[in-house]
Amino acid sequence: MKVLNQSLNMLFSLLRIGLGISWFHEGLFKLQAKFDISGLVPSVVNNVDSPMWYKTFMEHVVGSNVAVFNVLIPWGELLVGLGLIIGILTVPALIAGIFMGINYWLAEMIYLSSAVSGRLYISINA
């Protein structure tokens, strides 16, 4: 039983660190690329798949506060990644990561793409 618990702890730690690296990478990329959400707002508002309440949120809350969200999104991803990699404040980092993931899903900004090596990667584009 002890070996099983240790194996599961190791597995979940590797999963946590892997997810953390992914979030950290996306946040760092957005910071270096001078992320700007202003082009995404009209895309989500005119999108047919996002729920109407989310379109309203994007138009009135995000659209009115673009400068705030231009800082929150990349830094949020970076901090979620650091929390998961280091293992500090893991539960808040997981909750924030799930919240951001749901927002990307509602905005229709999650794409599956195939890499050159043939592996499947999930790219979160916001």
PDB file of all heavy atoms in Angstrom, residues 14-32:
ATOM      1  N   LEU A  14       4.679  14.797 -10.914  1.00  0.00           N
ATOM      2  CA  LEU A  14       5.150  14.983 -12.293  1.00  0.00           C
ATOM      3  C   LEU A  14       4.084  15.665 -13.155  1.00  0.00           C
ATOM      4  O   LEU A  14       4.399  16.545 -13.964  1.00  0.00           O
ATOM      5  CB  LEU A  14       5.558  13.644 -12.898  1.00  0.00           C
ATOM      6  CG  LEU A  14       6.821  13.012 -12.321  1.00  0.00           C
ATOM      7  CD1 LEU A  14       7.025  11.604 -12.888  1.00  0.00           C
ATOM      8  CD2 LEU A  14       8.034  13.886 -12.569  1.00  0.00           C
ATOM      9  N   LEU A  15       2.829  15.279 -12.958  1.00  0.00           N
ATOM     10  CA  LEU A  15       1.727  15.912 -13.691  1.00  0.00           C
ATOM     11  C   LEU A  15       1.617  17.388 -13.315  1.00  0.00           C
ATOM     12  O   LEU A  15       1.492  18.252 -14.187  1.00  0.00           O
ATOM     13  CB  LEU A  15       0.414  15.183 -13.398  1.00  0.00           C
ATOM     14  CG  LEU A  15      -0.830  15.705 -14.095  1.00  0.00           C
ATOM     15  CD1 LEU A  15      -0.699  15.568 -15.606  1.00  0.00           C
ATOM     16  CD2 LEU A  15      -2.047  14.954 -13.596  1.00  0.00           C
ATOM     17  N   ARG A  16       1.705  17.684 -12.025  1.00  0.00           N
ATOM     18  CA  ARG A  16       1.643  19.073 -11.545  1.00  0.00           C
ATOM     19  C   ARG A  16       2.774  19.906 -12.123  1.00  0.00           C
ATOM     20  O   ARG A  16       2.567  21.014 -12.620  1.00  0.00           O
ATOM     21  CB  ARG A  16       1.697  19.088 -10.013  1.00  0.00           C
ATOM     22  CG  ARG A  16       1.813  20.467  -9.396  1.00  0.00           C
ATOM     23  CD  ARG A  16       1.932  20.412  -7.873  1.00  0.00           C
ATOM     24  NE  ARG A  16       2.981  19.592  -7.354  1.00  0.00           N
ATOM     25  CZ  ARG A  16       4.272  19.960  -7.267  1.00  0.00           C
ATOM     26  NH1 ARG A  16       4.655  21.147  -7.697  1.00  0.00           N
ATOM     27  NH2 ARG A  16       5.171  19.149  -6.757  1.00  0.00           N
ATOM     28  N   ILE A  17       3.982  19.369 -12.110  1.00  0.00           N
ATOM     29  CA  ILE A  17       5.132  20.098 -12.638  1.00  0.00           C
ATOM     30  C   ILE A  17       5.012  20.285 -14.145  1.00  0.00           C
ATOM     31  O   ILE A  17       5.301  21.358 -14.672  1.00  0.00           O
ATOM     32  CB  ILE A  17       6.440  19.380 -12.250  1.00  0.00           C
ATOM     33  CG1 ILE A  17       6.652  19.481 -10.731  1.00  0.00           C
ATOM     34  CG2 ILE A  17       7.633  19.954 -13.003  1.00  0.00           C
ATOM     35  CD1 ILE A  17       7.726  18.571 -10.182  1.00  0.00           C
ATOM     36  N   GLY A  18       4.542  19.262 -14.851  1.00  0.00           N
ATOM     37  CA  GLY A  18       4.350  19.378 -16.303  1.00  0.00           C
ATOM     38  C   GLY A  18       3.331  20.444 -16.662  1.00  0.00           C
ATOM     39  O   GLY A  18       3.549  21.261 -17.563  1.00  0.00           O
ATOM     40  N   LEU A  19       2.210  20.461 -15.945  1.00  0.00           N
ATOM     41  CA  LEU A  19       1.201  21.504 -16.174  1.00  0.00           C
ATOM     42  C   LEU A  19       1.765  22.877 -15.828  1.00  0.00           C
ATOM     43  O   LEU A  19       1.497  23.867 -16.524  1.00  0.00           O
ATOM     44  CB  LEU A  19      -0.053  21.229 -15.352  1.00  0.00           C
ATOM     45  CG  LEU A  19      -0.949  20.106 -15.849  1.00  0.00           C
ATOM     46  CD1 LEU A  19      -2.026  19.792 -14.812  1.00  0.00           C
ATOM     47  CD2 LEU A  19      -1.570  20.465 -17.176  1.00  0.00           C
ATOM     48  N   GLY A  20       2.541  22.937 -14.766  1.00  0.00           N
ATOM     49  CA  GLY A  20       3.159  24.199 -14.370  1.00  0.00           C
ATOM     50  C   GLY A  20       4.100  24.734 -15.431  1.00  0.00           C
ATOM     51  O   GLY A  20       4.104  25.935 -15.736  1.00  0.00           O
ATOM     52  N   ILE A  21       4.887  23.853 -16.020  1.00  0.00           N
ATOM     53  CA  ILE A  21       5.797  24.277 -17.088  1.00  0.00           C
ATOM     54  C   ILE A  21       5.005  24.816 -18.274  1.00  0.00           C
ATOM     55  O   ILE A  21       5.374  25.833 -18.862  1.00  0.00           O
ATOM     56  CB  ILE A  21       6.715  23.109 -17.510  1.00  0.00           C
ATOM     57  CG1 ILE A  21       7.712  22.808 -16.391  1.00  0.00           C
ATOM     58  CG2 ILE A  21       7.440  23.404 -18.814  1.00  0.00           C
ATOM     59  CD1 ILE A  21       8.495  21.519 -16.574  1.00  0.00           C
ATOM     60  N   SER A  22       3.899  24.163 -18.595  1.00  0.00           N
ATOM     61  CA  SER A  22       3.056  24.622 -19.709  1.00  0.00           C
ATOM     62  C   SER A  22       2.478  26.012 -19.437  1.00  0.00           C
ATOM     63  O   SER A  22       2.542  26.899 -20.295  1.00  0.00           O
ATOM     64  CB  SER A  22       1.928  23.617 -19.945  1.00  0.00           C
ATOM     65  OG  SER A  22       1.075  24.066 -20.967  1.00  0.00           O
ATOM     66  N   TRP A  23       1.912  26.218 -18.248  1.00  0.00           N
ATOM     67  CA  TRP A  23       1.353  27.528 -17.897  1.00  0.00           C
ATOM     68  C   TRP A  23       2.447  28.591 -17.865  1.00  0.00           C
ATOM     69  O   TRP A  23       2.260  29.702 -18.348  1.00  0.00           O
ATOM     70  CB  TRP A  23       0.645  27.483 -16.541  1.00  0.00           C
ATOM     71  CG  TRP A  23      -0.740  26.936 -16.596  1.00  0.00           C
ATOM     72  CD1 TRP A  23      -1.154  25.722 -16.133  1.00  0.00           C
ATOM     73  CD2 TRP A  23      -1.906  27.559 -17.152  1.00  0.00           C
ATOM     74  NE1 TRP A  23      -2.486  25.571 -16.372  1.00  0.00           N
ATOM     75  CE2 TRP A  23      -2.976  26.683 -16.986  1.00  0.00           C
ATOM     76  CE3 TRP A  23      -2.130  28.787 -17.767  1.00  0.00           C
ATOM     77  CZ2 TRP A  23      -4.268  26.981 -17.412  1.00  0.00           C
ATOM     78  CZ3 TRP A  23      -3.416  29.091 -18.200  1.00  0.00           C
ATOM     79  CH2 TRP A  23      -4.463  28.196 -18.018  1.00  0.00           C
ATOM     80  N   PHE A  24       3.592  28.249 -17.278  1.00  0.00           N
ATOM     81  CA  PHE A  24       4.700  29.199 -17.193  1.00  0.00           C
ATOM     82  C   PHE A  24       5.173  29.594 -18.593  1.00  0.00           C
ATOM     83  O   PHE A  24       5.400  30.775 -18.873  1.00  0.00           O
ATOM     84  CB  PHE A  24       5.855  28.592 -16.390  1.00  0.00           C
ATOM     85  CG  PHE A  24       6.992  29.540 -16.171  1.00  0.00           C
ATOM     86  CD1 PHE A  24       6.950  30.456 -15.133  1.00  0.00           C
ATOM     87  CD2 PHE A  24       8.100  29.532 -17.008  1.00  0.00           C
ATOM     88  CE1 PHE A  24       7.995  31.350 -14.934  1.00  0.00           C
ATOM     89  CE2 PHE A  24       9.150  30.416 -16.815  1.00  0.00           C
ATOM     90  CZ  PHE A  24       9.098  31.327 -15.769  1.00  0.00           C
ATOM     91  N   HIS A  25       5.302  28.620 -19.468  1.00  0.00           N
ATOM     92  CA  HIS A  25       5.744  28.876 -20.841  1.00  0.00           C
ATOM     93  C   HIS A  25       4.782  29.823 -21.558  1.00  0.00           C
ATOM     94  O   HIS A  25       5.206  30.771 -22.228  1.00  0.00           O
ATOM     95  CB  HIS A  25       5.865  27.554 -21.598  1.00  0.00           C
ATOM     96  CG  HIS A  25       6.240  27.718 -23.022  1.00  0.00           C
ATOM     97  ND1 HIS A  25       5.297  27.777 -24.031  1.00  0.00           N
ATOM     98  CD2 HIS A  25       7.443  27.863 -23.621  1.00  0.00           C
ATOM     99  CE1 HIS A  25       5.922  27.946 -25.182  1.00  0.00           C
ATOM    100  NE2 HIS A  25       7.213  27.989 -24.965  1.00  0.00           N
ATOM    101  N   GLU A  26       3.484  29.562 -21.438  1.00  0.00           N
ATOM    102  CA  GLU A  26       2.491  30.421 -22.096  1.00  0.00           C
ATOM    103  C   GLU A  26       2.523  31.841 -21.538  1.00  0.00           C
ATOM    104  O   GLU A  26       2.432  32.814 -22.289  1.00  0.00           O
ATOM    105  CB  GLU A  26       1.086  29.834 -21.957  1.00  0.00           C
ATOM    106  CG  GLU A  26       0.858  28.578 -22.771  1.00  0.00           C
ATOM    107  CD  GLU A  26       0.950  28.812 -24.263  1.00  0.00           C
ATOM    108  OE1 GLU A  26       0.512  29.875 -24.750  1.00  0.00           O
ATOM    109  OE2 GLU A  26       1.468  27.920 -24.948  1.00  0.00           O
ATOM    110  N   GLY A  27       2.644  31.971 -20.216  1.00  0.00           N
ATOM    111  CA  GLY A  27       2.707  33.302 -19.613  1.00  0.00           C
ATOM    112  C   GLY A  27       3.954  34.062 -20.018  1.00  0.00           C
ATOM    113  O   GLY A  27       3.900  35.252 -20.343  1.00  0.00           O
ATOM    114  N   LEU A  28       5.094  33.376 -20.029  1.00  0.00           N
ATOM    115  CA  LEU A  28       6.350  34.003 -20.430  1.00  0.00           C
ATOM    116  C   LEU A  28       6.290  34.439 -21.898  1.00  0.00           C
ATOM    117  O   LEU A  28       6.719  35.539 -22.249  1.00  0.00           O
ATOM    118  CB  LEU A  28       7.511  33.038 -20.207  1.00  0.00           C
ATOM    119  CG  LEU A  28       8.909  33.599 -20.401  1.00  0.00           C
ATOM    120  CD1 LEU A  28       9.168  34.739 -19.431  1.00  0.00           C
ATOM    121  CD2 LEU A  28       9.943  32.502 -20.215  1.00  0.00           C
ATOM    122  N   PHE A  29       5.719  33.590 -22.740  1.00  0.00           N
ATOM    123  CA  PHE A  29       5.578  33.933 -24.149  1.00  0.00           C
ATOM    124  C   PHE A  29       4.727  35.188 -24.318  1.00  0.00           C
ATOM    125  O   PHE A  29       5.066  36.089 -25.074  1.00  0.00           O
ATOM    126  CB  PHE A  29       4.960  32.771 -24.933  1.00  0.00           C
ATOM    127  CG  PHE A  29       4.650  33.109 -26.356  1.00  0.00           C
ATOM    128  CD1 PHE A  29       5.665  33.143 -27.303  1.00  0.00           C
ATOM    129  CD2 PHE A  29       3.359  33.419 -26.746  1.00  0.00           C
ATOM    130  CE1 PHE A  29       5.393  33.476 -28.619  1.00  0.00           C
ATOM    131  CE2 PHE A  29       3.078  33.751 -28.051  1.00  0.00           C
ATOM    132  CZ  PHE A  29       4.099  33.779 -28.994  1.00  0.00           C
ATOM    133  N   LYS A  30       3.609  35.258 -23.590  1.00  0.00           N
ATOM    134  CA  LYS A  30       2.720  36.417 -23.705  1.00  0.00           C
ATOM    135  C   LYS A  30       3.409  37.690 -23.196  1.00  0.00           C
ATOM    136  O   LYS A  30       3.220  38.758 -23.772  1.00  0.00           O
ATOM    137  CB  LYS A  30       1.420  36.166 -22.959  1.00  0.00           C
ATOM    138  CG  LYS A  30       0.494  35.221 -23.688  1.00  0.00           C
ATOM    139  CD  LYS A  30      -0.790  35.000 -22.914  1.00  0.00           C
ATOM    140  CE  LYS A  30      -1.748  34.126 -23.657  1.00  0.00           C
ATOM    141  NZ  LYS A  30      -1.449  32.700 -23.594  1.00  0.00           N
ATOM    142  N   LEU A  31       4.189  37.585 -22.137  1.00  0.00           N
ATOM    143  CA  LEU A  31       4.922  38.754 -21.644  1.00  0.00           C
ATOM    144  C   LEU A  31       5.947  39.235 -22.667  1.00  0.00           C
ATOM    145  O   LEU A  31       6.065  40.435 -22.915  1.00  0.00           O
ATOM    146  CB  LEU A  31       5.625  38.432 -20.327  1.00  0.00           C
ATOM    147  CG  LEU A  31       4.757  38.415 -19.083  1.00  0.00           C
ATOM    148  CD1 LEU A  31       5.567  37.943 -17.883  1.00  0.00           C
ATOM    149  CD2 LEU A  31       4.162  39.784 -18.810  1.00  0.00           C
ATOM    150  N   GLN A  32       6.675  38.310 -23.251  1.00  0.00           N
ATOM    151  CA  GLN A  32       7.698  38.678 -24.236  1.00  0.00           C
ATOM    152  C   GLN A  32       7.085  39.198 -25.527  1.00  0.00           C
ATOM    153  O   GLN A  32       7.663  40.043 -26.193  1.00  0.00           O
ATOM    154  CB  GLN A  32       8.598  37.477 -24.545  1.00  0.00           C
ATOM    155  CG  GLN A  32       9.458  37.081 -23.372  1.00  0.00           C
ATOM    156  CD  GLN A  32      10.205  35.785 -23.609  1.00  0.00           C
ATOM    157  OE1 GLN A  32       9.852  34.982 -24.469  1.00  0.00           O
ATOM    158  NE2 GLN A  32      11.257  35.575 -22.828  1.00  0.00           N
TER     159      GLN A  32
END
